[in-house]
Amino acid sequence: KEARKPCSRKGPNAPGRVLVNGRAPHNGCQALLHCDRIIIGHAYCFRLTIPNVANENVSASGNIAMDSMEDALFEVVHEHADEFVECQALMESVKDRIGHSRAQEFLGLFGRTLPMIEEANLITTTVRPKDQLRFQLEVTSDIMRFTTDEPELIVRLFQALDGKEEQEV
């Protein structure tokens, strides 16, 4: 009998959110490997342990490297989000202004904040669908110190009124 490999299945019409190592699995079956991180929804994160492989790794190296939950959540790829795509262009400008290390710190903050905004939008849409509210993450800088000012993140709230364009609330 052939041993079955663990896999993650998520079709295009499947509800919910499943990420393997920060990315949505491709259509069909995605093979899972020892130490893969599986995120289900916005509340559950698991690390896959395959006992035989785990024993081999411990024997070979003497220890097991464990990432923090924050590291697992930070690796979530948000390339589907408009904010993330636009942030990539912004980061080049920020890096030129404030330097690589400070730009990396800002990108880390952005990466930790964006999932919270996405989750707030999911919750708001579910709990208050008639209100047509939407949170948006934005970047601001002091124009009087633009060349040296570190950018800041702000969250704006918009509401669609009577089927018209959204207005800031």
Side-chain angles (χ1 to χ4, degrees), residues 69-114:
M69 176 68 74
E70 186 174 293
D71 291 340
L73 294 176
F74 183 69
E75 80 177 354
V76 173
V77 177
H78 300 283
E79 43 201 32
H80 65 280
D82 293 339
E83 293 92 344
F84 187 83
V85 174
E86 293 298 323
C87 184
Q88 288 178 319
L90 172 72
M91 287 312 299
E92 289 303 314
S93 169
V94 169
K95 188 167 46 172
D96 290 342
R97 287 184 2 222
I98 65 173
H100 180 75
S101 63
R102 287 171 42 202
Q104 285 299 108
E105 289 176 24
F106 175 74
L107 184 59
L109 175 63
F110 182 86
R112 291 185 302 274
T113 306
L114 183 58

Side-chain angles (χ1 to χ4, degrees), residues 27-48:
N27 289 341
C29 185
Q30 176 175 336
L32 298 176
L33 304 173
H34 177 66
C35 288
D36 276 352
R37 286 166 302 284
I38 302 157
I39 298 175
I40 300 173
H42 289 271
Y44 299 98
C45 181
F46 302 94
R47 177 177 301 280
L48 177 66

Side-chain angles (χ1 to χ4, degrees), residues 88-153:
Q88 288 178 319
L90 172 72
M91 287 312 299
E92 289 303 314
S93 169
V94 169
K95 188 167 46 172
D96 290 342
R97 287 184 2 222
I98 65 173
H100 180 75
S101 63
R102 287 171 42 202
Q104 285 299 108
E105 289 176 24
F106 175 74
L107 184 59
L109 175 63
F110 182 86
R112 291 185 302 274
T113 306
L114 183 58
M116 290 186 264
I117 300 303
E118 290 176 342
E119 185 175 11
N121 283 324
L122 287 171
I123 292 169
T124 303
T125 301
T126 302
V127 176
R128 298 176 63 176
K130 293 179 182 177
D131 292 337
Q132 299 181 33
L133 298 171
R134 180 179 62 87
F135 294 96
Q136 181 171 308
L137 185 60
E138 296 188 0
V139 178
T140 185
S141 289
D142 180 353
I143 61 168
M144 299 305 285
R145 299 182 312 133
F146 182 76
T147 58
T148 58
D149 187 43
E150 290 192 32
E152 296 177 276
L153 295 176

